[in-house]
Amino acid sequence: MADYLDDLRLAHVLADAADAATMARFKALDLKVETKPDMTPVSEADKAAEELIRGQLQRARPRDAILGEEYGIEGTGPRRWVIDPIDGTKNYVRGVPVWATLISLMEAGEGGYQPVVGVVSAPALGRRWWAAKGHGAFTGRSLSAASRIHVSRVARLDDASFAYSSLSGWEEQGRLHDFLDLSREVWRTRAYGDFWPYMMVAEGSVDICAEPELSLWDMAAPAIVVTEAGGTFTGLDGRPGPHSGNAAASNGLLHDELLGYLNGRY
C-alpha cells in the first residue's frame, strides 16, 4: 500500500504558500469581491490562492489532475488534487477568522475517487489539521510539531454536542423539522460553520455534525481527517465518503442515530 507521506509533505508546502497569500489580504480594505453565478462570493484572495496551488502542483506533480472551486478540472488520471482555496469566503470577506484552505489528494479505486491525503489549514485561527490514509490524523503547527487526534467516545445523543453551519439550507430542502428534532435530543448545539465542525469531530470536542448541501472540494479533505481520526464520514444517504452532495460526520458511535433523525426516521 502506498504510504502517501511524500504527498502529505507536499500538501503542507502548498498550504504554507496559500496561508501566506490569504493572510496577506485578510481584512484588507481594498479586497476585491465578486458574486459568482451561483450568487456566492469570491474574492481576489480565493483566486490567487488557487492559482498559487495549481502552479506548484503543475511543477511538482505534472501527471496529476487538479480540481478546484474557482477554476474547475484540469488533467486526467488516477490521482486528483482537490482544492478549496478559501472555505468560508463569507467569513473571510467580513473579517471573521473562521475560514481555511482545504487541500486533498484523491485516488481512483473500486468505489470511485476517494481521499487519501487531506490538509485543512486555518491560519487566522492558528490551526492546521491533516491526515494520510493509514497514518492517522493530526493537528499542530507542522509535521514535526503535531499531536495525534481521535474522535470522542460519547455514545448517547443526550450527551452529544452537535455542530452545523446554518438553518437556511435545512429549511430550503424541507429537512428543518428533522434537524430541529435532532437538536432537541442532543446535549448541545452550536453553529460553528464550514470546515470547523468536522475538525472538532476529528479531535473529539464535538460528537456529530452535518450539512445539507456541499461540493466535493468542501468535503474531500475533512473526510479523510475525520475517518483517520476514527470517525465516520458519509452523505445523508449513508454513502461513505465525500460524494453525496451533503455530509454527516460523527464519532461513529452516533452515526446511525444522526442519519436516522436527519432522514425523518425518528
Side-chain angles (χ1 to χ4, degrees), residues 152-173:
S152 75
R153 292 176 173 81
V154 172
R156 291 166 50 94
L157 269 186
D158 56 8
D159 293 327
S161 180
F162 172 38
Y164 60 98
S165 285
S166 70
L167 294 178
S168 59
W170 299 100
E171 186 171 33
E172 289 165 6
Q173 292 198 3

Side-chain angles (χ1 to χ4, degrees), residues 10-34:
L10 174 60
H12 275 272
V13 171
L14 299 173
D16 289 343
D19 286 356
T22 52
M23 286 301 290
R25 298 298 290 154
F26 185 47
K27 296 186 179 182
L29 296 178
D30 60 344
L31 181 73
K32 294 182 177 63
V33 182
E34 303 169 6

Side-chain angles (χ1 to χ4, degrees), residues 189-208:
T189 62
R190 283 294 183 272
Y192 298 110
D194 301 302
F195 68 93
W196 208 4
Y198 303 98
M199 298 304 97
M200 290 180 176
V201 168
E203 61 189 13
S205 53
V206 161
D207 310 299
I208 55 176

Side-chain angles (χ1 to χ4, degrees), residues 26 87-89 91-92 95-100 122 124-125 192-197:
F26 185 47
D87 181 52
T89 299
N91 283 344
Y92 184 89
V96 178
V98 183
W99 51 271
L125 294 175
Y192 298 110
D194 301 302
F195 68 93
W196 208 4

Side-chain angles (χ1 to χ4, degrees), residues 179-198:
F179 175 93
L180 293 175
D181 281 348
L182 173 61
S183 72
R184 295 183 185 108
E185 295 299 317
V186 299
W187 167 64
R188 190 170 192 250
T189 62
R190 283 294 183 272
Y192 298 110
D194 301 302
F195 68 93
W196 208 4
Y198 303 98

Side-chain angles (χ1 to χ4, degrees), residues 63-138:
R63 296 182 180 178
D64 293 352
I66 306 171
L67 171 65
E69 179 177 9
E70 307 308 335
Y71 295 106
I73 183 74
E74 181 178 358
T76 60
R79 288 164 46 98
R80 178 182 297 171
W81 293 85
V82 180
I83 305 157
D84 189 342
I86 300 179
D87 181 52
T89 299
K90 292 177 182 177
N91 283 344
Y92 184 89
V93 301
R94 288 296 303 270
V96 178
V98 183
W99 51 271
T101 295
L102 313 183
I103 300 169
S104 178
L105 172 63
M106 302 187 74
E107 196 166 70
E110 288 184 7
Y113 284 90
Q114 295 298 332
V116 294
V117 167
V119 172
V120 175
S121 190
L125 294 175
R127 298 294 309 276
R128 184 178 290 185
W129 302 261
W130 62 89
K133 185 178 179 181
H135 290 278
F138 296 83

